[in-house]
Amino acid sequence: RKTVTQKTERLVLSQYIFGGTWLKKDYQFIQMQKIARQVLQRIEEERGLTITIEGHTDIVGVKAGNVRISNRRAEAAAVSLIRYIGLLKGLDSTEAIRDFLNNRNCQIRTRGYGSEKPYEVIRYQQDKFYREIIGDNSEPEGRVINRRVEILLEVQSVK
């Protein structure tokens, strides 16, 4: 009988100003470098890692426009992440980076969710787990939190 084990880790990469797809350069550099180191460590530890870069928005604006913005955020973050992984590994071309990822059986995907997945956390209290929505779109603070990119790291092993 086979057992499938899945490990998942979620990293919040960035938050955006209203309607924006880019961050302040200094913050972006520092945050992406930190995240790229974590992702590279996971790539080297785990074969078959699937990395999904998810873009999100708040509910302000037209739904289709928010999906486009979230897709652009995810794609821009993927390009940046791949570039940083190449720098950290000393790889000087897109082809060399692609070969490194393929040799580790690593896939990088992007997905824009628009406003359909408000930011939430899982809490534990009184012997139960429950989900708490932190990105409440009815509040200004919640809308700010929902303008984000997350990196989901997943690996499945079959024994």
Side-chain angles (χ1 to χ4, degrees), residues 57-111:
T57 66
D58 60 21
I59 60 167
V60 176
V62 178
K63 185 176 182 176
N66 283 340
V67 171
R68 279 192 303 276
I69 289 170
S70 64
N71 275 312
R72 287 196 322 252
R73 287 176 180 170
E75 289 164 8
V79 167
S80 187
L81 177 65
I82 290 167
R83 198 174 296 141
Y84 274 93
I85 288 171
L87 286 171
L88 292 169
K89 286 298 291 180
L91 304 172
D92 57 358
S93 71
T94 304
E95 186 175 315
I97 298 167
R98 192 176 310 123
D99 288 345
F100 167 72
L101 294 172
N102 286 337
N103 288 336
R104 300 294 309 157
N105 196 21
C106 178
Q107 297 177 22
I108 298 179
R109 302 186 281 208
T110 61
R111 171 102 195 262

Side-chain angles (χ1 to χ4, degrees), residues 35-46 49:
I35 295 288
R37 287 182 195 283
Q38 290 177 282
V39 171
L40 179 58
Q41 181 180 352
R42 297 301 180 279
I43 290 170
E44 291 177 333
E45 290 173 354
E46 303 278 358
L49 187 67

Side-chain angles (χ1 to χ4, degrees), residues 81-158:
L81 177 65
I82 290 167
R83 198 174 296 141
Y84 274 93
I85 288 171
L87 286 171
L88 292 169
K89 286 298 291 180
L91 304 172
D92 57 358
S93 71
T94 304
E95 186 175 315
I97 298 167
R98 192 176 310 123
D99 288 345
F100 167 72
L101 294 172
N102 286 337
N103 288 336
R104 300 294 309 157
N105 196 21
C106 178
Q107 297 177 22
I108 298 179
R109 302 186 281 208
T110 61
R111 171 102 195 262
Y113 285 96
S115 62
E116 75 181 64
K117 290 177 77 175
Y119 187 64
E120 66 181 21
V121 294
I122 297 173
R123 302 231 189 252
Y124 183 78
Q125 189 175 26
Q126 298 176 351
D127 297 329
K128 308 190 251 194
F129 288 99
Y130 66 95
R131 294 181 187 274
E132 181 179 347
I133 293 179
I134 304 296
D136 181 350
N137 276 304
S138 67
E139 300 291 329
E141 298 85 9
R143 290 191 294 274
V144 168
I145 289 169
N146 285 332
R147 297 178 213 128
R148 70 192 189 284
V149 170
E150 293 185 20
I151 299 176
L152 181 65
L153 307 171
E154 296 177 288
V155 65
Q156 287 188 352
S157 58
V158 179

Side-chain angles (χ1 to χ4, degrees), residues 15 17 22-30:
Q15 293 176 323
I17 59 169
W22 299 103
L23 301 163
K24 289 184 177 178
K25 293 289 184 203
D26 291 341
Y27 176 79
Q28 183 181 21
F29 173 79
I30 292 166

